[in-house]
């Protein structure tokens, strides 16, 4: 089996390298579509049958392992399949601008890495654990590292990619440590063994180690700092797939661990609490920073962190509720968290695609140089408005459905008198997150797409090609479906949640179905009302005088576009609240109050994460010092190198003789 | 069905009268004769018959936004019961749905304001977004307090169950009502957070966002404002009515007179907050609703023990 897989991989890579430059995207799309179709077929099969073992093999370190698909992996397979096909289609238009600037091999490498990343993500959710899991995980990291490096001639790209690689490997070490701990205790390193391990006593260390390992990928506070660096550096379709799907593999890991906790209420309670608290902190931290950013892609990156927080709040409530003996809270939280995972992969992909459309025309992601793009790129603007509404969790779109589930879980917690305080904490956090998300995304949309142009580049933008618009429309269809037909969308999610929490979903389905059916109806009515109002207005206005004129300037006649609200001024009010968490770097200075006739000023402010500098500083200092020591060994003389080799060989000999190695 | 229809009719009456009561109260306290009770309705009727001026900066979004604003407010309006009557729609968890419908209407207006490219409207939009974000937890916690008492998370169920409550909870329910009234002040853009009658665009919040709307669009925004007010006022009135007399003929006038007179009196007696004080003001309300929830929780625990 392994042989055929390797053969297929080699054939795929050769095919990508052999196709001409402009056709590579279609080869890669074909391969990815094959993978996606396979994945979806597997997922459907798994939903029908339950767990299916695919094949097993022997690994050198951890013994027998296998690839299997159950409902949880099936859900993630579907997410990966949809997002990766959309990404490939999108990349055609996006990379077209780079033809001629890079060599053909450069594109081949990019597409090979992209296909590898998709395949490795699928392997991650299929692997039973241990070696095969870690191998796929590492392959995914390396592939995404190469993908970030697409514009490797830019220094900031190289720095961000390196930063990403280092962070991911710290996380990887934690995972390795976790699996070694697991293997030592149980002589098996599959996810199933975690359940057994947890029964042996003292389960928390393993949980914490794995939680950190997975959290690093998911962007958990305070390990989130790689996200806002890596996303702006990577090409937009790569940001989309990394933010939409890859970080979800971290969530997948965390859900896998939670699945392993079987009826141990005390442990479930502790873990639920840890997950809930880290979710609250991650969510609030992410959303405050998202609202403060003035760079489109950094804002989106922080918003991904916030969404991971929301997912963890759902998971935490699920665990705490389950521990408290309420299946309803447990299922609502779990359904909400899983559905939000799906939802976020949809709208975040769309948002990054939209950001890519703008970047490819504006050649910048600085919000304050934009404005009024909606007039030049109407389709992108319309699709982005849709995605923004979805991520703000506004009814009748999908983001609302998943947050509603989490809310209902927590409200049930309150009204049943179970876990009131945790539910209250969750509600406060979730509602504050919901409120600030609105601020962040109205800022993004208002400053980028609406108003008047803030720079001359805007006038030169135009709508992007059909492929990119089509790629954005793929997630939009699913967003609409989940939003308007939640009663059907929830059925598969509830079955996954049932498998994860090992509880019965009929009660939840019975409880939630009337709600979802009414909600679906009300959503349709809402849309109908809005459309009807618009049509009525249009009809009534036909017989009225409709004139156009300049925006009302409040009596001031020499308005210019520089006077518009900028991104920075839009979130100024939040700055007071966020100040303790951020470090501002300011270039230039503001206009002084006493300057009656202001001269030309330049002012640039960046809000840096304090965690970034806290973690970054000692780390850099340590690396520098280590480097100095190592540099001393590099004498440049052949005889010293031969001495080192000799010392090494002698050491190996001595250690072997002593029986240590 | 007849009950549901009656409920809606009463709600519409409430929505139409609150502004009238505010105006009358202000006029009486200022010693003026004041405008007619339904003058605001006349004004809107006039606006509905007028043409419109659209800014050349705006896009299609600007023309859709008032429809979304009004549509969302209309749907939210349908979920609120008048004391013992039944609302048209109700489902488990609709308190969250209503809160997010209000958010939807807010987003529509903020984006429309940003669409004009005016610095004043941008200013209003930024403030509205921030205050909206901060007031959200207060709204949710006030609703959570109700859910805690009644064991339900839909408006219709909460208030139908609330009649069997212990008298100990009276004070908490009154506080919940107070929180809802303050939230209404903030959402409706009234003193002390915002002053619709202010003479300067720089100090406006809600009003400045509507500067570029005219004709039917402006009328829609006004109607939506009434509906939103009625929604929040009725929730507050219901919480009070639970304590005294849970009948529609008590709750409906209470919603109109209570909130109308409260706003009128506050607007006559005190000035608007300094803008920088608004955040503190709103956070105080958030803290207060947290406190109310905590007190409610402690009382419930005592009762059970």
């Amino acid at each position: 089996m392994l042989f055929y897989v390797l053969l297929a991989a080699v054939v795929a890579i050769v095919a990508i390298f052999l196709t001409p430059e402009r056709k590579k995207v279609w080869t890669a799309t074909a391969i990815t579509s094959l993978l996606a179709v396979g994945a979806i077929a597997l997922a459907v099969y798994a939903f029908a049958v339950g767990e299916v073992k695919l094949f097993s093999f022997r690994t050198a370190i951890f013994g027998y392992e296998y690839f299997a698909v159950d409902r949880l992996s099936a859900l993630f397979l579907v997410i990966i399949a949809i997002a990766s096909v959309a990404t490939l289609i999108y990349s055609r238009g996006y990379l077209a601008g780079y033809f001629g600037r890079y060599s053909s091999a450069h594109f081949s490498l990019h597409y090979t890495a992209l296909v590898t990343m998709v395949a490795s993500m699928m392997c991650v959710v299929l692997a039973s654990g241990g070696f095969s899991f870690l191998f796929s995980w590492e392959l995914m990291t390396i592939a995404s590292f190469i993908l970030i490096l697409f514009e490797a001639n830019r220094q900031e790209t190289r720095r961000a990619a390196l930063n990403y690689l280092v962070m991911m490997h710290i996380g990887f070490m934690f995972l390795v440590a976790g699996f070694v701990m697991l293997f030592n205790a149980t002589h098996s390193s599959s996810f199933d063994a975690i359940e057994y391990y947890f029964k042996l006593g003292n389960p928390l260390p393993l949980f914490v180690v794995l939680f950190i390992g997975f959290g690093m990928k998911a962007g958990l506070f305070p390990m989130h700092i790689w996200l806002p660096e890596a996303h702006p550096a990577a090409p937009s379709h790569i940001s989309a797939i990394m933010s939409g799907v890859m970080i979800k593999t971290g969530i997948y890991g965390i859900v896998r661990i939670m699945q392993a906790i079987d009826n141990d209420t005390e442990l479930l309670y502790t873990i639920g609490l840890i997950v809930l608290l880290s979710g609250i902190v991650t969510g609030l931290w992410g959303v405050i920073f998202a609202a403060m950013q003035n760079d489109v892609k950094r804002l989106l990156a922080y918003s991904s962190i916030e969404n991971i927080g929301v997912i963890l709040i759902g998971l935490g409530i699920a665990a705490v509720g389950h521990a408290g003996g309420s299946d309803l809270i447990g299922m609502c939280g779990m359904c909400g968290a899983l559905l939000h995972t799906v939802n976020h992969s949809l709208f975040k992909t769309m948002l990054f695609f939209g950001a890519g459309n703008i970047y490819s025309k504006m050649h910048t992601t600085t919000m304050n140089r934009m404005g009024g793009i909606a007039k030049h790129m109407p389709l992108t603007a319309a699709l982005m408005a849709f995605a923004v509404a979805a991520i703000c969790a506004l009814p009748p779109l999908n983001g609302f459905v998943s947050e509603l589930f989490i809310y209902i879980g927590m409200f049930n917690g309150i009204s049943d008198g179970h876990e009131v305080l945790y539910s209250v904490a969750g509600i406060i956090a979730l509602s504050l997150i919901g409120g600030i998300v609105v601020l962040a995304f109205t800022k993004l949309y208002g400053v980028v797409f609406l108003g008047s142009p803030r720079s001359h580049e805007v006038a030169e933008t135009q709508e992007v090609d059909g492929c990119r618009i089509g790629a954005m429309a793929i997630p939009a269809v699913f967003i609409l479906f989940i939003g308007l037909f939640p009663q059907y969308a929830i059925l598969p999610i509830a079955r996954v949640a049932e498998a994860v929490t090992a509880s019965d979903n009929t009660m939840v389905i019975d409880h939630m179905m009337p709600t979802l059916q009414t909600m679906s109806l009300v959503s349709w009515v809402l849309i109908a009302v809005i459309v009807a109002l618009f049509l009525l207005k249009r009809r009534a206005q036909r017989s009225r005088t409709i004139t156009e004129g300049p925006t009302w300037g409040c009596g001031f006649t020499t308005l210019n576009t520089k006077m518009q609200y900028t991104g920075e001024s839009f979130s100024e009010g939040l700055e007071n609240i966020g100040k303790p968490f951020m470090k501002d770097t300011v270039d230039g200075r503001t206009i002084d109050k006493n300057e009656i006739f202001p001269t030309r000023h330049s002012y640039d402010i960046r809000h840096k994460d304090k965690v970034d500098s806290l973690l970054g500083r000692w780390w850099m200092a340590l690396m520098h010092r280590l480097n100095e020591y190592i540099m001393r060994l590099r004498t440049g003389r052949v005889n010293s190198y031969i001495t080192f080799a000799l010392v090494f060989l002698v050491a190996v000999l001595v250690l072997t003789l002593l029986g240590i190695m | 069905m007849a009950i549901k229809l009656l409920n809606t009719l009463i709600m519409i009456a409430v929505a139409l009268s609150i502004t009238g009561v505010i105006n009358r109260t202000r006029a009486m306290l200022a010693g003026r004769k004041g405008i007619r009770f339904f003058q605001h309705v006349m004004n809107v009727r006039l606006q509905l018959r007028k043409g419109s001026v659209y800014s050349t900066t705006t896009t299609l979004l600007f023309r859709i936004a008032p429809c979304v604003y009004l549509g969302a407010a209309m749907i939210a309006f349908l979920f609120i019961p008048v004391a013992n009557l039944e609302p048209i729609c109700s489902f488990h968890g609709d308190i969250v749905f209503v809160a997010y419908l209000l958010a939807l209407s807010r987003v529509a207006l903020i984006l429309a304001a940003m669409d004009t490219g005016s610095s004043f409207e941008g200013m209003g939009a930024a403030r509205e977004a921030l205050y909206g974000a901060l007031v959200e937890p207060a709204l949710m916690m006030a609703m959570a307090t109700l859910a805690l008492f009644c064991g339900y998370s839909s408006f219709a169920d909460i208030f139908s169950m609330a009649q069997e409550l212990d008298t100990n909870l009276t004070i908490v329910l009154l506080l919940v009502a107070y929180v809802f009234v303050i939230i209404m002040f903030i959402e409706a853009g009234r003193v002390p957070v915002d002053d619709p009658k202010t003479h300067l665009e720089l100090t406006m919040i809600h009003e400045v966002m509507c500067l570029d709307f005219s004709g039917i669009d402006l009328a829609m925004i006004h109607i939506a404002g009434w509906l939103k007010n009625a929604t929040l006022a009725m929730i507050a009135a219901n919480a009070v009515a639970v304590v005294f007399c849970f009948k529609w003929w008590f709750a409906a006038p209470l919603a109109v007179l209570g909130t109308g007179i409260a706003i009128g009196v506050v607007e006559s007696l005190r000035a608007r907050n300094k803008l920088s004080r608004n955040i503190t003001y709103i956070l105080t309300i958030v803290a207060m609703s947290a406190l109310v929830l905590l007190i409610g929780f402690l009382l419930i625990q005592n009762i059970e023990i």
Side-chain angles (χ1 to χ4, degrees):
Chain A
M1 189 69 200
L2 209 58
F3 172 73
Y4 291 113
V5 172
L6 281 176
L7 188 69
V10 170
V11 169
I13 292 169
V14 169
I16 291 176
F17 269 87
L18 284 185
T19 33
E21 194 175 61
R22 280 166 198 275
K23 297 279 184 288
K24 283 189 202 305
V25 55
W26 298 123
T27 317
T29 310
I31 300 166
T32 314
S33 306
L34 271 180
L35 284 173
V37 168
I40 288 179
L42 255 184
V44 171
Y45 187 59
F47 265 109
V49 184
E51 190 172 336
V52 190
K53 264 193 193 179
L54 299 177
F55 56 89
S56 61
F57 46 87
R58 211 186 116 73
T59 56
I61 307 167
F62 290 127
Y64 275 99
E65 285 173 13
Y66 52 90
F67 273 55
V69 52
D70 63 358
R71 288 190 185 132
L72 182 62
S73 357
L75 182 73
F76 280 86
L77 279 179
V78 174
I79 297 176
I80 296 167
I82 295 170
S84 52
V85 171
T87 302
L88 256 303
I89 294 175
Y90 183 84
S91 74
R92 180 196 166 270
Y94 188 79
L95 292 185
Y98 293 93
F99 287 137
R101 277 209 264 161
Y102 295 114
S103 65
S104 175
H106 195 86
F107 290 100
S108 305
L109 185 64
H110 184 77
Y111 279 116
T112 309
L114 191 49
V115 173
T116 312
M117 185 179 162
V118 172
S120 59
M121 283 194 296
M122 289 175 176
C123 289
V124 161
V125 297
L126 289 176
S128 66
F131 185 79
S132 49
F133 179 82
L134 289 172
F135 181 80
S136 324
W137 188 268
E138 181 62 12
L139 198 61
M140 176 172 82
T141 304
I142 306 256
S144 49
F145 170 69
I146 295 171
L147 291 170
I148 295 175
L149 271 178
F150 183 70
E151 287 185 88
N153 46 340
R154 286 167 52 193
Q155 200 204 342
E156 58 264 46
T157 305
R158 290 197 300 272
R159 192 188 304 151
L162 207 60
N163 182 21
Y164 168 74
L165 196 69
V166 171
M167 293 283 287
M168 283 307 106
H169 280 92
I170 298 173
F172 185 68
M173 287 306 150
F174 274 97
L175 287 185
V176 171
F179 278 107
V180 169
M181 275 164 79
L182 185 64
F183 187 73
N184 268 346
T186 63
H187 298 288
S188 161
S189 63
S190 71
F191 282 113
D192 300 336
I194 297 179
E195 187 176 339
Y196 181 63
Y197 182 93
F198 280 163
K199 285 190 181 130
L200 292 178
N202 202 15
L204 267 187
L206 178 69
F207 171 75
V208 171
V209 167
L210 288 179
F211 190 61
I212 293 175
F214 288 127
M216 191 69 90
K217 195 58 121 188
L220 209 65
F221 177 87
M223 299 167 278
H224 63 273
I225 46 176
W226 66 268
L227 270 152
E229 301 302 323
H231 286 318
S236 290
H237 57 289
I238 301 308
S239 314
I241 198 166
M242 277 174 66
S243 193
V245 187
M246 195 193 71
I247 61 171
K248 302 296 163 27
T249 53
I251 295 293
Y252 167 80
I254 293 169
V255 178
R256 271 274 178 247
I257 311 172
M258 290 176 69
Q259 188 181 19
I261 309 164
D262 188 35
N263 290 329
D264 183 350
T265 19
E266 205 173 317
L267 177 65
L268 201 57
Y269 199 75
T270 325
I271 286 181
L273 212 58
I274 295 174
V275 173
L276 179 65
L277 285 180
S278 51
I280 290 175
V281 176
T282 309
L284 285 175
W285 192 277
V287 79
I288 288 177
F289 273 89
M292 299 301 300
Q293 297 309 312
N294 292 318
D295 178 291
V296 178
K297 286 177 102 184
R298 283 179 78 91
L299 191 154
L300 293 178
Y302 271 112
S303 135
S304 292
I305 298 167
E306 165 257 319
N307 276 286
I308 291 293
V310 172
I311 295 170
L312 288 185
I313 290 176
L315 288 178
I317 284 293
V320 169
H322 217 67
S326 166
D327 275 0
L328 186 62
I329 304 174
M331 280 296 281
C332 278
M334 187 56 82
C335 284
L338 291 174
L339 188 59
H340 201 75
T341 312
V342 178
N343 289 345
H344 180 245
S345 81
L346 297 170
F347 44 65
K348 193 44 70 65
T349 322
M350 247 180 116
L351 286 166
F352 267 116
F353 287 167
N357 290 358
I358 302 163
Y359 177 73
S360 65
K361 299 291 171 191
M362 292 281 300
H363 306 292
T364 177
T365 48
T366 311
M367 257 186 234
N368 294 335
R369 298 192 62 76
M370 300 175 187
I373 295 184
K375 286 201 169 147
H376 303 275
M377 305 168 81
L379 287 173
T380 306
L383 285 165
M384 278 292 266
F386 187 80
V388 162
I391 202 170
C392 287
L394 299 178
L397 297 176
N398 65 348
F400 175 71
V401 180
S402 47
E403 289 202 10
L404 179 76
F405 266 91
I406 302 176
Y407 270 120
I408 288 188
M410 292 189 292
F411 271 113
N412 270 316
I414 288 176
S415 57
D416 295 357
H418 281 302
E419 329 306 339
V420 174
L421 291 181
Y422 303 124
S423 300
V424 169
I427 285 182
I428 296 176
L430 201 55
S431 54
L432 199 56
I433 291 172
I436 303 179
V437 164
V438 166
L439 182 111
F441 279 91
T442 47
K443 165 178 164 170
L444 172 81
Y445 197 78
V447 175
V448 173
F449 287 99
L450 306 176
S452 320
R454 290 182 182 75
S455 70
H456 59 89
E457 287 103 328
V458 175
E460 290 149 28
T461 56
Q462 65 216 10
E463 192 52 87
V464 294
D465 58 315
C467 264
R468 278 187 267 181
I469 297 296
M472 283 178 82
I474 296 174
V477 173
F478 291 97
I479 288 178
L480 259 186
F481 176 75
I482 298 176
L484 290 176
F485 298 103
Q487 69 269 43
Y488 303 119
I490 199 63
L491 290 174
I493 303 285
R495 293 191 69 178
V496 178
E498 189 182 39
V500 173
T501 55
S503 57
D504 194 13
N505 74 1
T506 46
M507 191 178 73
V508 179
I509 295 291
D510 289 347
H511 188 83
M512 291 300 294
M513 253 324 144
T515 292
L516 294 177
Q517 276 158 356
T518 325
M519 206 174 83
S520 156
L521 190 69
V522 176
S523 301
W524 281 105
V525 173
L526 175 67
I527 292 175
V529 167
I530 291 171
V531 171
L533 282 172
F534 187 66
L535 293 179
L536 277 175
K537 187 180 98 172
R538 274 244 312 249
R539 230 185 105 137
Q541 280 183 336
R542 224 172 270 165
S543 54
R544 315 277 160 80
T545 37
I546 302 298
T547 45
E548 294 209 330
T551 299
W552 168 238
C554 305
F556 186 65
T557 49
T558 48
L559 285 170
N560 72 40
T561 57
K562 287 271 166 64
M563 291 176 187
Q564 283 180 96
Y565 245 47
T566 58
E568 179 62 25
S569 40
F570 196 87
S571 54
E572 196 194 1
L574 200 66
E575 218 177 292
N576 299 324
I577 299 169
K579 204 167 254 168
F581 316 121
M582 57 186 70
K583 210 174 126 235
D584 294 342
T585 50
V586 182
D587 278 335
R589 60 189 183 85
T590 49
I591 297 171
D592 195 64
K593 273 180 195 158
N594 301 325
E595 271 183 78
I596 300 171
F597 300 107
T599 48
R600 202 180 168 81
H601 281 260
S602 82
Y603 180 71
D604 181 34
I605 184 165
R606 271 151 216 254
H607 305 289
K608 288 264 171 69
D609 210 319
K610 253 193 188 162
V611 178
D612 197 10
S613 51
L614 275 183
L615 284 183
R617 221 174 272 155
W618 66 264
W619 166 246
M620 294 298 266
L622 191 75
M623 286 310 265
H624 274 295
R625 202 170 301 160
L626 263 177
N627 258 348
E628 268 170 29
Y629 283 121
I630 293 170
M631 285 300 273
R632 274 186 214 160
L633 297 178
R634 212 193 69 172
T635 54
R637 282 192 304 245
V638 180
N639 35 9
S640 20
Y641 292 143
I642 292 175
T643 321
F644 296 149
L646 188 67
V647 170
F648 175 73
L649 287 176
V650 170
V652 170
L653 184 70
V654 171
L655 287 174
T656 320
L657 286 180
L658 292 175
I660 296 170
M661 266 174 82
Chain B
M1 199 58 216
I3 291 180
K4 288 181 181 178
L5 212 61
L6 179 66
N7 186 71
T8 315
L9 287 177
I10 293 176
M11 282 296 286
I12 291 172
V14 168
L16 288 178
S17 356
I18 290 179
T19 315
V21 174
I22 297 174
N23 289 337
R24 296 305 300 175
T25 316
R26 280 167 53 104
M28 258 153 74
L29 284 175
R32 285 184 281 120
K33 183 157 170 282
I35 50 178
R36 263 181 299 178
F37 188 78
F38 281 116
Q39 184 61 45
H40 58 286
V41 183
M42 304 293 173
N43 290 348
V44 164
R45 227 182 69 192
L46 195 66
Q47 282 158 1
L48 278 173
R49 276 182 284 161
K50 284 191 173 180
S52 300
V53 183
Y54 289 105
S55 161
T56 43
T57 320
T58 56
T59 57
L60 182 65
L61 190 142
F62 187 79
R63 303 189 185 206
I64 300 176
C67 306
V68 177
Y69 190 64
L70 179 57
M74 275 165 77
I75 301 290
F77 181 77
L78 296 179
F79 282 93
I80 311 299
V82 182
N84 54 346
L85 302 183
E86 270 176 62
I88 288 192
C89 326
S90 166
F91 58 78
H92 191 75
D94 63 9
I95 47 183
V96 184
F97 193 69
V98 168
Y100 274 79
L101 277 176
L102 295 182
L104 172 64
S105 65
R106 192 163 62 228
V107 168
L109 204 58
I110 291 172
L111 287 183
M114 291 300 283
D115 201 7
T116 61
S118 149
S119 47
F120 294 108
E121 293 187 43
M123 202 178 280
R127 287 171 187 161
E128 174 92 356
L130 180 65
Y131 299 161
L134 296 180
V135 87
E136 199 99 321
L139 187 64
M140 281 296 175
M141 271 186 287
M143 288 175 175
T145 317
L146 293 175
L148 174 69
F149 289 171
C150 315
Y152 287 96
S153 49
S154 83
F155 286 115
D157 294 335
I158 283 177
F159 291 117
S160 66
M161 280 303 292
Q163 301 160 68
E164 295 149 25
L165 283 181
D166 206 285
T167 43
N168 282 358
L169 298 177
T170 307
I171 179 71
V172 183
L173 279 170
L174 290 179
L175 284 173
V176 170
Y178 175 76
V179 170
F180 271 114
V181 172
I182 299 288
I183 291 172
M184 182 190 154
F185 279 23
I186 299 167
E187 288 274 344
R190 312 296 302 209
V191 175
V193 175
D194 182 14
D195 186 357
K197 297 278 185 289
T198 179
H199 66 287
L200 192 63
E201 287 90 343
L202 275 174
T203 56
M204 294 174 170
I205 299 169
H206 181 78
E207 291 303 306
V208 76
M209 292 169 74
C210 318
L211 277 182
D212 264 273
F213 287 111
S214 51
I216 299 181
D217 293 323
L218 190 60
M220 280 182 168
I221 285 170
H222 282 310
I223 297 172
W226 301 341
L227 297 181
K228 278 169 90 171
N229 283 356
T231 305
L232 290 166
M234 195 42 94
I235 301 172
N238 279 340
V240 177
V242 167
V243 179
F244 297 106
C245 168
F246 200 67
K247 291 285 184 294
W248 62 269
W249 45 262
F250 180 77
L254 185 70
V256 177
L257 294 175
T259 47
I261 293 176
I263 291 178
V265 170
V266 169
E267 294 207 337
S268 306
L269 294 186
R270 65 169 294 185
R272 216 179 107 270
N273 282 341
K274 231 171 88 180
L275 275 172
S276 53
R277 295 261 308 147
N278 269 346
I279 294 180
T280 322
Y281 183 80
I282 297 174
L283 287 179
T284 314
I285 295 303
V286 175
M288 183 161 166
S289 54
L291 195 67
V292 170
L293 180 53
L294 194 68
I295 294 172
F297 179 57
L298 291 178
L299 283 176
I300 291 265
Q301 290 293 312
N302 271 341
I303 291 160
E304 280 176 356
I305 287 166

